[in-house]
């Protein structure tokens, strides 16, 4: 059974807004990269804005970066606390909002991977910016969740992690309509006491959306027992147990900034 991203976020909107620390950190990092962009006059958009982490970060960098927030999940938008005039409920799977065409800046953080065919969507977004306009994106890509994939293979169960886009394909698609000015892969990791702790946190924040399969309790137990652990030797010496062991979750996050060339006279 597929878990629709919007439905997952709807149930967890309040918890996500307060506890999505990684997403918040990445949003602020992207906003920092936008600080010195020579953005032409025009409208600024935050695609897949959710609870407004990126919109707040952009405005903190420059007051003129007053973005309009676009998201399908009205419950997440409500958590942003921005005025209703700055929020648009829109399913980005249906394409770019007509009002956004010719944008001065389209920014998006931790959103593109939730959409159908991200490779095609990033090209649509690049086409939507106006001459001299910018597209700034962070998105998790292939190479993330390595230990999860290993655990599933060892356990003989399906890995229910969302299929993430390939960064080579994303940049190739975008480069057909805009000039890539900056590109990097940012690597994050976080430790958890167990795989179950990580999976429960994902569900509580609504970031379990996009999964095309769910595991039963027996499969979850097998998965948890097979998750590669990193031994905390100091803790193990003190306790003579495996209580100090942790599992590590990794994210590979693509940051890309591109500009639409000015129209030739």
């Amino acid at each position: 059974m597929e878990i629709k991203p919007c439905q997952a976020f709807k149930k967890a909107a309040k918890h996500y807004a307060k506890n999505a620390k990684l997403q918040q950190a990445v949003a602020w990092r992207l906003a920092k990269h936008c600080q010195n962009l020579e953005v032409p006059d025009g409208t600024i958009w935050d695609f897949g804005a959710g609870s407004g982490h990126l919109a707040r970060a952009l405005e903190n960098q420059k007051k003129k970066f007053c973005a309009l927030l676009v998201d399908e999940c009205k419950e997440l938008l409500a958590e942003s606390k921005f005025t209703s005039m700055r929020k648009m409920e829109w399913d980005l799977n249906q394409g770019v909002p007509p009002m956004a065409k010719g944008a001065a800046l389209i920014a998006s953080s931790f959103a593109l991977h939730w959409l159908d065919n991200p490779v095609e969507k990033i090209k649509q977004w690049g086409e939507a910016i106006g001459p001299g306009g910018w597209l700034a994106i962070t998105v998790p890509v292939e190479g993330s969740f390595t230990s999860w994939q290993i655990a599933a293979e060892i356990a003989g169960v399906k890995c229910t992690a969302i299929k993430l886009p390939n960064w080579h394909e994303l940049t190739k698609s975008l480069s057909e309509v805009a000039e890539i000015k900056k590109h990097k892969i940012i690597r994050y990791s976080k430790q958890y006491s167990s795989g179950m702790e990580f999976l429960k946190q994902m569900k509580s924040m609504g970031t379990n959306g996009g999964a095309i399969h769910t595991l039963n309790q027996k499969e979850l137990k097998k998965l948890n027992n097979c998750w590669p652990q990193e031994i905390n030797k100091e803790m193990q010496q003190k306790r003579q147990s495996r209580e100090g062991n942790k599992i590590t979750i990794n994210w590979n996050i693509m940051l890309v900034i591109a500009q639409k060339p000015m129209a030739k006279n």
Side-chain angles (χ1 to χ4, degrees):
M1 181 181 69
E2 183 177 0
I3 302 172
K4 298 291 185 183
C6 187
Q7 291 302 311
F9 281 123
K10 179 180 179 179
K11 295 176 182 178
K14 289 186 180 296
H15 193 74
Y16 178 89
K18 294 177 181 177
N19 296 285
K21 303 302 182 185
L22 172 63
Q23 290 83 346
Q24 185 176 5
V26 172
W28 280 83
R29 186 161 182 171
L30 178 60
K32 189 72 175 175
H33 281 279
C34 294
Q35 183 179 23
N36 297 318
L37 298 181
E38 294 183 6
V39 177
D41 293 337
T43 310
I44 294 172
W45 297 81
D46 179 1
F47 279 8
S51 53
H53 290 139
L54 180 57
R56 281 188 292 274
L58 285 169
E59 207 162 330
N60 185 267
Q61 294 299 324
K62 272 187 181 179
K63 289 298 180 185
K64 70 171 285 188
F65 286 170
C66 184
L68 296 176
L69 287 71
V70 179
D71 204 286
E72 181 186 7
C73 183
K74 64 180 180 181
E75 289 80 7
L76 270 181
L77 285 175
E79 293 297 320
S80 72
K81 311 305 181 187
F82 286 104
T83 64
S84 59
M85 292 182 64
R86 287 182 59 182
K87 294 183 285 191
M88 176 186 292
E89 189 181 338
W90 179 273
D91 181 4
L92 288 164
N93 276 318
Q94 303 305 312
V96 174
M99 291 173 57
K101 293 181 178 178
L105 168 65
I106 293 175
S108 178
S109 185
F110 259 85
L112 180 63
H113 62 297
W114 297 119
L115 302 178
D116 301 334
N117 198 345
V119 173
E120 180 60 30
K121 293 296 187 298
I122 199 171
K123 184 176 181 179
Q124 291 177 6
W125 295 3
E127 289 173 333
I129 52 179
W134 296 85
L135 180 65
I137 294 175
T138 48
V139 57
V141 292
E142 280 184 359
S144 304
F145 305 136
T146 305
S147 66
W148 189 354
Q149 294 161 1
I150 292 171
E153 185 175 352
I154 295 172
V157 301
K158 291 185 178 180
C159 180
T160 58
I162 185 173
K163 180 175 172 55
L164 296 172
N166 177 285
W167 71 262
H168 293 282
E169 294 177 359
L170 290 172
T171 52
K172 182 177 183 296
S173 181
L174 178 58
S175 67
E176 294 175 6
V177 295
E179 183 179 347
I180 295 176
K181 298 292 188 179
K182 184 173 292 186
H183 172 270
K184 63 169 66 177
I185 301 297
I186 307 166
R187 291 177 171 83
Y188 284 87
S189 64
K190 183 178 178 181
Q191 289 193 324
Y192 294 84
S193 62
S194 67
M196 287 300 294
E197 182 198 8
F198 164 66
L199 294 174
K200 286 178 180 177
Q201 185 186 86
M202 285 192 73
K203 186 175 181 179
S204 71
M205 293 202 307
T207 52
N208 60 323
I212 58 174
H213 184 78
T214 55
L215 302 181
N216 59 39
Q217 287 301 312
K218 183 178 179 181
E219 290 171 326
L220 283 170
K221 186 176 181 179
K222 285 179 66 178
L223 177 69
N224 190 57
N225 290 338
C226 293
W227 216 296
Q229 293 186 325
E230 294 189 6
I231 299 173
N232 185 325
K233 293 182 180 178
E234 182 180 349
M235 292 293 291
Q236 200 170 43
Q237 287 173 356
K238 288 180 180 179
R239 302 186 184 186
Q240 294 298 310
S241 72
R242 296 183 61 184
E243 291 180 19
N245 295 0
K246 301 283 187 180
I247 64 109
T248 300
I249 301 297
N250 73 297
W251 288 263
N252 284 1
I253 299 166
M254 182 184 79
L255 183 150
V256 63
I257 296 177
Q259 185 179 30
K260 178 72 70 67
M262 295 294 294
K264 295 180 180 179
N265 295 327

